[in-house]
Every structure is written in structure tokens, then in C-alpha cells.
């Protein structure tokens, strides 16, 4: 139960709300095992993946636990590149992700700082409840380079 009481000098109002959970939603992080760090909205995410080079289209894979229902991850295209990535796995219908490029994703260093703070530009959710084999594959189909960070799943 949550109770809020406010007073404006003349009147006092109290409101109580009882919150009844209807189920349990748990979110657990996934270790991407990358060798890069992404800084997004002031938070550093280690073990991020930088995929691709100027000459070779990038690919990456995410190990997904068998009890995962929804996979959530952040992904951005390289500065100045128009990148599309195919997300696929056994039992899943392949999905094309159109990535937002970011000026902070550039260079060969181990750390990139995403300049934009618009979370919805980089956050993707994929239903992985029918995934068999436990691996979601990401492969650039246009453009070449991208970064992946902050993966998690819900049961």
C-alpha cells in the first residue's frame, strides 16, 4: 500500500493505493563477452561488442539463456554509416534492424561514448521464446560496423 498526503496550507488530501502484483517479471543481464566499453547516458558498459571494420561487414552473437522470453539490447551504427543488421537464430523469423548511427561511435579505441541520449533510438527488444540453440546472430546486411551493449532478458 502506498499512501500520499499533501497539504496546500488550507486543505489536506490523502490517497492510498494498494498495488497487487499479477506476476513476476525478472530481468537479468547477459554477458556479451566483448572487449570494448560503451558509455551511454553517463554509464559505462564493459564487455560491449564492436563489430566490423571499414572493409569487412560486422557480425556478432549473443548467448541467450533457454528460459529467456524477451531479449533487450542496445545497438548503434558506426558514425556516418547507414547500417542494417539481420537478427536471426534457430526457430526465429529473421528480423532486420535499422540502426541509428552515432558520432561517438568511431575510431579504433576500446571505448566509445554515445553522443545521443535518446534511448529509443538504440534499444531493441526481440521475442526469443521460440529460439532453439541459444544463440541470436547479428550480421550487417548494409553498412559494415556497429556496436552492441547492455543486453538483458526477461523470463
Amino acid at each position: 500500500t502506498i499512501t500520499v498526503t499533501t497539504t496546500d496550507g488550507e486543505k489536506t488530501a490523502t490517497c492510498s493505493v494498494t498495488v497487487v502484483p499479477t506476476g513476476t517479471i525478472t530481468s537479468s543481464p547477459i554477458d556479451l563477452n566483448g572487449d570494448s566499453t560503451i558509455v551511454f547516458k553517463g554509464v559505462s558498459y564493459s564487455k560491449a561488442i564492436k563489430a566490423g571494420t571499414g572493409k569487412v561487414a560486422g557480425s556478432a552473437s549473443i548467448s541467450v539463456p533457454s528460459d529467456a522470453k524477451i531479449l533487450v539490447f542496445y545497438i548503434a551504427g558506426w558514425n556516418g554509416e547507414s547500417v542494417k543488421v539481420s537478427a536471426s537464430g534457430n526457430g526465429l523469423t529473421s528480423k532486420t534492424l535499422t540502426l541509428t548511427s552515432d558520432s561517438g561511435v568511431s575510431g579504433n579505441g576500446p571505448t566509445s561514448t554515445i553522443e545521443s541520449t535518446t534511448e529509443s533510438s538504440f534499444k531493441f527488444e526481440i521475442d526469443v521464446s521460440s529460439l532453439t540453440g541459444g544463440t541470436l546472430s547479428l550480421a550487417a546486411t548494409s553498412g559494415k560496423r556497429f556496436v552492441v551493449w547492455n543486453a538483458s532478458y526477461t523470463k
Side-chain angles (χ1 to χ4, degrees), residues 22-150:
T22 58
T24 303
I25 297 174
T26 58
S27 178
S28 301
I30 293 177
D31 187 348
L32 293 173
N33 292 315
D35 58 4
S36 296
T37 298
I38 298 297
V39 178
F40 181 57
K41 294 171 68 171
V43 177
S44 278
Y45 298 93
S46 61
K47 296 192 176 183
I49 299 169
K50 279 188 178 180
T53 68
K55 295 180 181 180
V56 178
S59 64
S61 60
I62 299 174
S63 294
V64 181
S66 60
D67 60 348
K69 301 293 182 225
I70 302 292
L71 175 66
V72 178
F73 58 95
Y74 292 76
I75 184 169
W78 208 258
N79 181 34
E81 284 191 32
S82 230
V83 183
K84 289 188 179 182
V85 169
S86 172
S88 61
N90 290 335
L92 295 180
T93 301
S94 183
K95 183 175 183 174
T96 298
L97 312 177
T98 301
L99 308 187
T100 300
S101 69
D102 189 88
S103 60
V105 183
S106 62
N108 293 325
T111 301
S112 292
T113 300
I114 304 296
E115 299 296 330
S116 173
T117 58
T118 307
E119 189 167 326
S120 62
S121 296
F122 307 109
K123 182 178 181 181
F124 286 89
E125 295 183 10
I126 296 179
D127 181 340
V128 291
S129 58
S130 63
L131 178 67
T132 58
T135 301
L136 180 78
S137 298
L138 303 170
T141 57
S142 70
K144 292 183 176 68
R145 299 175 285 184
F146 59 92
V147 294
V148 183
W149 74 97
N150 193 22

Side-chain angles (χ1 to χ4, degrees), residues 8-32:
D8 69 0
E10 295 178 19
K11 300 176 190 169
T12 300
T14 302
C15 175
S16 294
V17 177
T18 301
V19 179
V20 179
T22 58
T24 303
I25 297 174
T26 58
S27 178
S28 301
I30 293 177
D31 187 348
L32 293 173

